Amino acid sequence: MKYCLFFCFSFTSFLYSFAQQQTAAQMQETAKSQMQQGEFDNALLLLNRARQQEPNNIEILKDLSFTYYLKRDFASGIEFGKVLIEKPGADQQSFQILGLSYKAIASYVECAKLYKGALTKFPNSGLLYNEYAEMRASENNLEEAILLWEKGIESDPVYSGNYFNATMYYMRVKKWLRATLYGETFLNLESYSTRTDEIKTQLFVAYQNLLAPSVIEQLLQSKTISAFEKALLESLAKSTGKLQNMVKIENIISIRTLFILQWLQGKQKLYPFRLFDHQQFLLNNGLFEAYNYWLFSTTLNADVYTIWQKTHGKEFEGFKNFQEGRVFKLPVGQYYFSR
């Protein structure tokens, strides 16, 4: 025990002495390494020394507030977070970090004030809309949460977090069409993350339900859908025809192929939509089948997917190279939904 205490004291003394010889940037970099190893006290020692050298450095303040959050010293995280957001250069992440500590202690009133103020400063921040919505969802206020996720999608269509949460929400309330659109969009924005497989599974279930007998016809009778959604459903209805056993991936691919061809005939100019442009490109370049197998890969038997890859090697490699080498971007202004 004495040896352990001596070692800890010696290491802390070493850090203190070492910090005096470093620039603020060097101390901050060392602190990040300590933070990643879970050595929060050592990280804080270095960050506080760095702040003495550069008291107005936004990045140092962000690391301080976040390290206190990770250490579960939320009071200190809030203290430094408040200082941080008052700085002229405070960015979206500055407000996000302070919000984490507020949410950790369920200080939802203060957290809501924080996000509302942040959104007046960053009115098109998908990040902040998502953080605010997640806070509302944690209060079981899902009606307000989905409005915020939708606003985030409309304002900042390249931020993936809003699509993920909106997809999960629409699966919960059984709005299958919106779930398929947002789920697929998410997968193109965030193709290889820990959340990807979860959404792939949800996407297949959404299609199973959307393509079930009479569902599209029932949705077309709804008075709450937008003109865009009605146009989608009309094209989808023409594409399904009399195909049965919609659970099979082969049938889903056939329907999705026919849908794109239908959409190109009359609706593409009326409702430009990046996701459908992407599908058209893949179809024209012989990659659409591979893309669909990738989309629904978590629902397939592993042997079936492996066999398909081997028998369609050229297409599989072509899609893989394309997928890994491109960045999927969505423009502002292609939001056609009713809220």
Side-chain angles (χ1 to χ4, degrees), residues 85 92 94-104 107-123 125 127-136 148:
I85 64 169
Q92 301 170 55
S94 303
F95 291 89
Q96 179 193 25
I97 291 170
L98 176 54
L100 290 174
S101 288
Y102 276 133
K103 286 191 283 189
S107 183
Y108 296 132
V109 173
E110 289 301 316
C111 198
K113 290 179 182 177
L114 172 73
Y115 291 137
K116 287 178 180 177
L119 284 167
T120 62
K121 187 175 182 179
F122 303 102
S125 171
L127 168 67
L128 292 172
Y129 277 114
N130 186 55
E131 292 291 325
Y132 193 5
E134 287 185 349
M135 189 210 79
R136 288 305 190 203
L148 290 164

Side-chain angles (χ1 to χ4, degrees), residues 38 50 138 152 179 203 273-274 331:
S138 67
L203 182 62
F273 200 59
R274 179 69 182 88

Side-chain angles (χ1 to χ4, degrees), residues 28-284:
Q28 185 183 12
E29 199 60 34
T30 306
K32 287 181 178 180
S33 177
Q34 291 290 305
M35 189 196 313
Q36 291 169 359
Q37 297 173 43
E39 298 292 341
F40 302 130
D41 288 332
N42 293 333
L44 289 168
L45 184 152
L46 289 164
L47 289 169
N48 277 299
R49 292 288 302 173
R51 189 186 175 219
Q52 289 177 9
Q53 288 188 19
E54 298 183 12
N56 293 315
N57 187 308
I58 295 294
E59 296 304 317
I60 292 173
L61 280 169
K62 285 200 290 189
D63 285 345
L64 267 169
S65 184
F66 187 57
T67 304
Y68 277 119
Y69 165 76
L70 292 175
K71 189 187 175 185
R72 302 188 64 79
D73 182 351
F74 303 123
S76 297
I78 290 170
E79 177 187 347
F80 280 96
K82 285 181 176 179
V83 173
L84 170 62
I85 64 169
E86 292 300 321
K87 297 293 182 182
D91 57 9
Q92 301 170 55
Q93 192 180 50
S94 303
F95 291 89
Q96 179 193 25
I97 291 170
L98 176 54
L100 290 174
S101 288
Y102 276 133
K103 286 191 283 189
I105 61 173
S107 183
Y108 296 132
V109 173
E110 289 301 316
C111 198
K113 290 179 182 177
L114 172 73
Y115 291 137
K116 287 178 180 177
L119 284 167
T120 62
K121 187 175 182 179
F122 303 102
N124 298 317
S125 171
L127 168 67
L128 292 172
Y129 277 114
N130 186 55
E131 292 291 325
Y132 193 5
E134 287 185 349
M135 189 210 79
R136 288 305 190 203
S138 67
E139 297 177 286
N140 292 318
N141 190 344
L142 292 176
E143 292 77 9
E144 185 173 351
I146 190 56
L147 292 177
L148 290 164
W149 282 317
E150 288 283 1
K151 186 62 178 176
I153 288 169
E154 181 181 10
S155 304
D156 189 3
V158 298
Y159 184 76
S160 61
N162 290 298
Y163 293 98
F164 175 84
N165 284 310
T167 300
M168 300 305 288
Y169 170 84
Y170 285 124
M171 291 299 295
R172 177 173 177 168
V173 299
K174 301 181 180 180
K175 288 193 174 183
W176 312 120
L177 179 62
R178 199 81 66 100
T180 61
L181 293 171
Y182 285 170
E184 187 172 348
T185 301
F186 170 82
L187 291 171
N188 281 286
L189 288 168
E190 196 172 304
S191 302
Y192 300 104
S193 75
T194 55
R195 303 189 292 184
T196 301
D197 285 349
E198 184 177 4
I199 292 297
K200 284 183 177 182
T201 301
Q202 296 295 331
L203 182 62
F204 187 73
V205 173
Y207 265 105
Q208 283 181 305
N209 285 282
L210 179 61
L211 300 177
S214 303
V215 170
I216 293 175
E217 290 78 5
Q218 291 171 14
L219 291 174
L220 279 168
Q221 301 305 313
S222 172
K223 296 182 180 180
T224 61
I225 61 172
S226 65
F228 173 61
E229 289 169 298
K230 185 176 181 181
L232 289 176
L233 290 167
E234 288 172 345
S235 292
L236 198 55
K238 294 176 183 177
S239 305
T240 57
K242 296 182 179 180
L243 283 173
Q244 300 297 319
N245 192 16
M246 302 302 185
V247 174
K248 294 180 63 175
I249 187 172
E250 294 85 355
N251 282 357
I252 293 179
I253 294 173
S254 296
I255 291 167
R256 282 165 53 83
T257 302
L258 290 170
F259 167 80
I260 286 299
L261 296 176
Q262 285 282 343
W263 189 256
L264 294 177
Q265 291 179 11
K267 304 298 183 181
Q268 184 184 36
K269 291 183 179 179
L270 186 60
Y271 299 109
F273 200 59
R274 179 69 182 88
L275 180 63
F276 299 154
D277 293 340
H278 180 58
Q279 293 176 5
Q280 181 190 0
F281 175 85
L282 293 168
L283 190 60
N284 291 342

